[in-house]
Amino acid sequence: MGTTVAMAASNQERSFIMVKPEGVQRALVGEVIKRFEQRGFKLVGLKVLVPSKDIANVHYGEHEGKPFFPKLVGHITSGAVVAMVWEGKDIVKTGRAMIGATNPLASAPGTIRGDFAIDLGRNIVHGSDSVDSAQREIALWFSPDELAEYDPTVTPWIYE
Ligand code: IDP
């Protein structure tokens, strides 16, 4: 019983995953969702929006002052994005591995960026880089009532 509770908690790590404007324009939203779904992760939040400058400045706050920052914020606010929260064991690290390296030309084939992107500023998808960043980003993009509470019936077929 104790093990079940501990296992359940470890399965509840969350990551903020966002299809960027180029991914939406290139009709890759379904492809990104499919990969996380097929892996066994659980979708708990999803919305489409054109990000404001305010939210973009906070989201990419760690890059403020860098030469590419204005272009980065300009780009992410230039069109619709699909913001998501995915849940599951080790989702932050595994999500980053599924997305690939920041520079798509250095991303392995089989990763999202390695399969669909070429340039750094058009790398299709964002994924939180740590559990702390994930919590900060989820709180920035979603209110608690936008995150669904439910138990997928497949859970015992994914986790032992
Ligand atoms: P990540 O998206 O892989 O976590 P970060 O270092 O957090 O990478 O950078 C955020 C985004 O900013 C990247 O995905 C990329 O689109 C863009 N970016 C990062 N470094 C550069 C750069 O040197 N020039 C232009 N764009 C960059």
Side-chain angles (χ1 to χ4, degrees), residues 1-141:
M1 194 60 183
T3 317
T4 309
V5 171
M7 189 185 77
S10 77
N11 296 351
Q12 283 167 3
E13 184 172 298
R14 288 179 170 181
S15 187
F16 175 70
I17 305 292
M18 174 171 61
V19 183
K20 298 182 183 185
E22 64 274 28
V24 175
Q25 290 292 337
R26 291 183 54 198
L28 291 170
V29 174
E31 178 68 36
V32 172
I33 291 175
K34 184 185 75 168
R35 290 177 179 224
F36 282 87
E37 258 186 342
Q38 285 185 165
R39 188 72 188 259
F41 292 121
K42 173 183 166 186
L43 181 61
V44 298
L46 181 146
K47 63 183 167 186
V48 57
L49 73 158
V50 178
S52 66
K53 287 262 184 248
D54 284 352
I55 201 167
N57 280 328
V58 176
H59 177 79
Y60 283 125
E62 68 175 290
H63 297 299
E64 205 170 345
K66 294 182 186 168
F68 64 86
F69 183 74
K71 210 168 75 171
L72 177 60
V73 169
H75 175 63
I76 207 74
T77 57
S78 70
V81 302
V82 173
M84 297 178 275
V85 178
W86 286 88
E87 186 178 283
K89 187 187 284 182
D90 221 10
I91 176 72
V92 170
K93 191 163 131 251
T94 308
R96 293 280 293 187
M98 290 166 65
I99 288 168
T102 303
N103 182 349
L105 290 180
S107 296
T111 64
I112 296 169
R113 288 169 175 167
D115 287 348
F116 299 110
I118 295 173
D119 265 357
L120 196 49
R122 297 290 184 273
N123 61 10
I124 310 291
V125 64
H126 165 85
S128 305
D129 65 3
S130 69
V131 172
D132 283 352
S133 307
Q135 284 167 356
R136 180 179 69 80
E137 291 169 0
I138 291 166
L140 175 67
W141 291 87

